[in-house]
Each structure stands twice: as C-alpha cells, then as structure tokens.
Amino acid sequence: MNRLSLLFQTISLVFALCVLSILNAHAETASDMPQVEYGSVFLEEQRQMQPSAWQLGVSYSYELSNPYANVHGYSLTASHALSKYTRAGLLTTIYTAQDTYLVSAVNQSLQPSGGSQRVQHPSYSMYATIGVTPLAGHLSFFGNQALPFEFNLLFGAGMTRYREGLTEPGLMWSLRPQARIYRSVSFELSAGQQIEAPWSGSDRLSRLEAGAGFIWAFP
Amino acid sequence: MNRIFAAFSILAICTSSISAPCAESSYVQGLKLQEEGQEPAAYQLWDSMSPEDPEYPDALTELQKIHYRRQEWQKFFGYARFYREKVLRSDEGLKTKLRARLISLEAMALAKHCQWGPSRDLIDIALKLPQISSLSDRSELDEVRSYLELHHAYPHSNEAAGQPDKPRTLFTARVFWSLTSEQVARLSHPKNLRVVVENRCHK
C-alpha cells in the first residue's frame, strides 16, 4: 500500500511538473520585452490621399412632397473622381408610383362639374452629376469603432420622363452623408430636391426626396 | 501500369517546374523597385503589406530606413511603437518577427533627439532577450550602444534637424487624436500613427 501511494505521489508530481513547464512555455509573450515609453502618441486624422477612382451605388428614395402619388425611386449611380474632393457621374432612377386616396377624393368632388384631375407619374430620370466632398473624417459611435465618414453635396442636370409621355428637363441637388461600413462599402443617406422645368414659371415642379443606399468604391 | 504511372509522374514534375517559381512576394518586388530607382512605388508596396505577413518585419525595416533618411520622425517613431506594441506582442512575435536592425534604428533616432534614457533602455533590453542570439545581431546592438555613448559626449554633432511638430487642434488640416499604449495595439496598420518626441539637444 505504501509503495502504491508512493508511486501515485511520484506520478502526480511528474504530471504537475509537466503541466507547469507547458504553462511556462505558453506564457512566453510580450512580457519578455519590457516596453520603453517615450513621446506623445497620436492618431493623425486625415482623409485618404487617394480617393477611389470609381464608385458604383444603388439606392432607394421616396418623394416626400407629392400628396397625390406615392413615388418610390430605385437608383443606380456611377461616378469617377476628378480630384481629391470632386467627382463626376451619372444618376439613373426608375420610379414606381401609386395614386393616393387624395386623387380619388378630388376626382369625386370634381365629377359633378365634369372635371377630373390628371396626375403625372414619373417613369425614369437621368441626371449628369457633380459631387463635392467638403467634409471628411472619422466618427466614433459611443466611443466604439471610428468609421470613416464623408459629407457629400451632389448637383445635377438632366431630365425626367413620365408615363404619360411628358419629358421635363430638370436640375437637382442633394445632401449625402456617407459612412464606410466595410473595406470598400459605404452606407449613404440622401435628402434633396429635383426641380423640373426650372425656367418655366407655371410648369415648374419641385420634388423633395429622401433615401438611403450603398456605395462600392474601387479600386 | 508502371509505364503509365511513370508517365504521369514525369508530367506532374514537368507541370510543377513550369508553374514554379512562385509569384514574388511584395517585399521582394519592393526591393527590385527600389533598385530600379522607384523608391515611392517601393514604399507604397511595402506600406500596403499586412502586419500579419511573415515578411512584414523585413518590409518594415526598409520603411523605417526611408523614414529615417527623410527625417520623418513622427512617422518613424509611430511605426516603431506599432512594431513593439503590436507586431512583437503577436503570437510567435518575438520568435519570428524580432529584427535587431529595427531596434538599432529606433535607438539611433532617439539618440538624434538626445533621448538618452529610452535609447539606452531599448538596447539594454534587446541585448538581454534570448531571441537575440546571432553574433551579427549582438554585435550590431553593441556597436549602437557604443555609438550612443559617443553621441552622448557630442550631442550636437548629429542631432535631428528642426523641432518636432507639436500638433495643433484648431484651424489645421490635420487633427491629432491622443492615444494610449493599449489603443496602439488595437490598430490594424501604423500609417496614421504618430509619436511626437521632444528634441532635448537644445536644452
């Protein structure tokens, strides 16, 4: 019995020594290199010197200023960097529109007098655009993860085609804050205005739109 | 059957010899660009390498030589701090990524700023590391140690040019966020890291 207990104790001791040596081997980390501290450490905040040459984007928008139709826009954008802070591109939007209850209510009220209301529904639009980036930096959300951020202004000139056959020239502007959420992918919000037939007094139409989308930058 | 097997073997050997040599690493490509006189392109290539790359310490050595030569001290000390706080602290960092040349360059740069304490501490700590085992590494660090003593005797003979740029916080195109040592280890790349070191040679 004594021999057995002695044998057991010896095996336990050897096992413990093995475990300790393994632990010591894995414990070799930076504590072997004591740190030398000097100077003041900073992170320099600056926009990347080489903005991406090309950007492609997809987005959704909704027209806020049209009481007669729910107009949904699905856009594709492509742009190329002209300089560090400006881009030129093309914005193409396809619209779907459904009449609101107001159209039928107005038609009902006009029916006794023989009148009716015609609502124009946009089909698609195309705008040549110039983008400017006056603000760029990093934003930290509750102190967690600084995201590269840009605030863009977009200006454009183009046309809108309606289902009813009408084509109107137009100008547009929008504010587009953008945050990079992954390596070359950014999330963008937009809010702006399209002004159709801007030089016509009576036919001028102003649309307020808001939307959101994603931008891919490459290379 | 044996003839078919032999034929396939020969085909496999021929195919592998045609497909080899493997594509050159970014580090080797950078060296070639530098030899051709295209140092900016070599710099971009080395700076684009991931700190996880096995050849990153060698690329970092070349980057630090360029920073040293151009006297871009904030960048130099930023990259050096990143190397010691992040790269050497990674798994197997001290075993595979320790380069005596990087420690030597950092110590000499500190000597140019008359920061005698940190420069001596760096060399002394490096000489005590068991990973610094090769004769060439130890002799290089000993040589730098001697250089530090000589430079201490004649501090103005080889000091860093100009005063360090103290970061401004208003009306500047560049903004500096203060960082702690722990936060340095969380960075993925040192390209925006700056360490401002006071030049004590004029004091």
Side-chain angles (χ1 to χ4, degrees), chain B residues 1 3 7 45 48-49 69 78-80 88-89 98 139 144 147 156 158 197:
Chain B
M1 198 57 136
R3 286 181 186 174
L45 197 57
S48 67
M49 286 175 68
R69 195 168 57 246
Y79 277 61
L88 289 184
R89 283 173 182 255
L98 181 61
S139 64
V144 171
Y147 166 80
H156 298 294
N158 196 20
V197 176

Side-chain angles (χ1 to χ4, degrees), chain B:
Chain B
M1 198 57 136
N2 285 338
R3 286 181 186 174
I4 294 169
F5 180 73
F8 272 116
S9 303
I10 292 167
L11 188 65
I13 290 166
C14 292
T15 311
S16 63
S17 64
I18 289 167
S19 61
C22 302
E24 282 179 341
S25 65
S26 298
Y27 170 62
V28 172
Q29 286 177 30
L31 287 176
K32 287 188 177 174
L33 284 171
Q34 197 177 41
E35 281 168 21
E36 291 165 9
Q38 298 179 50
E39 188 172 271
Y43 183 95
Q44 289 284 343
L45 197 57
W46 287 325
D47 206 30
S48 67
M49 286 175 68
S50 164
E52 314 296 327
D53 195 309
E55 286 187 312
Y56 183 74
D58 301 311
L60 183 61
T61 306
E62 300 302 321
L63 286 172
Q64 289 291 69
K65 286 181 192 172
I66 293 170
H67 294 148
Y68 192 101
R69 195 168 57 246
R70 291 179 186 169
Q71 301 201 55
E72 294 172 347
W73 300 120
Q74 291 183 12
K75 252 188 177 178
F76 177 91
F77 290 120
Y79 277 61
R81 182 66 65 93
F82 179 84
Y83 173 66
R84 287 191 288 110
E85 296 277 356
K86 178 83 184 259
V87 179
L88 289 184
R89 283 173 182 255
S90 61
D91 291 340
E92 304 290 315
L94 280 177
K95 278 185 184 170
T96 58
K97 296 182 180 174
L98 181 61
R99 299 289 187 272
R101 178 59 55 88
L102 284 168
I103 307 294
S104 308
L105 280 172
E106 189 179 355
M108 285 166 55
L110 286 167
K112 273 183 169 289
H113 290 74
C114 297
Q115 295 268 351
W116 308 115
S119 61
R120 282 196 197 105
D121 288 345
L122 259 179
I123 298 295
D124 290 342
I125 287 167
L127 280 169
K128 286 177 189 166
L129 287 174
Q131 290 83 3
I132 299 283
S133 54
S134 76
L135 198 61
S136 60
D137 285 347
R138 297 199 76 83
S139 64
E140 180 175 340
L141 291 171
D142 283 329
E143 209 172 302
V144 171
R145 193 67 166 83
S146 311
Y147 166 80
L148 289 179
E149 299 307 323
L150 184 66
H151 194 7
H152 195 184
Y154 303 97
H156 298 294
S157 61
N158 196 20
E159 64 178 274
Q163 293 294 322
D165 298 329
K166 288 178 188 174
R168 293 188 296 151
T169 54
L170 288 179
F171 302 114
T172 173
R174 301 186 302 167
V175 177
F176 290 83
W177 290 3
S178 185
L179 286 186
T180 62
S181 297
E182 291 77 23
Q183 289 170 322
V184 171
R186 284 192 238 154
L187 295 175
S188 59
H189 197 281
K191 61 184 176 186
N192 290 338
L193 188 61
R194 304 286 181 265
V195 175
V196 179
V197 176
E198 185 189 358
N199 190 334
R200 292 183 178 166
C201 294
H202 294 285
K203 291 199 171 181

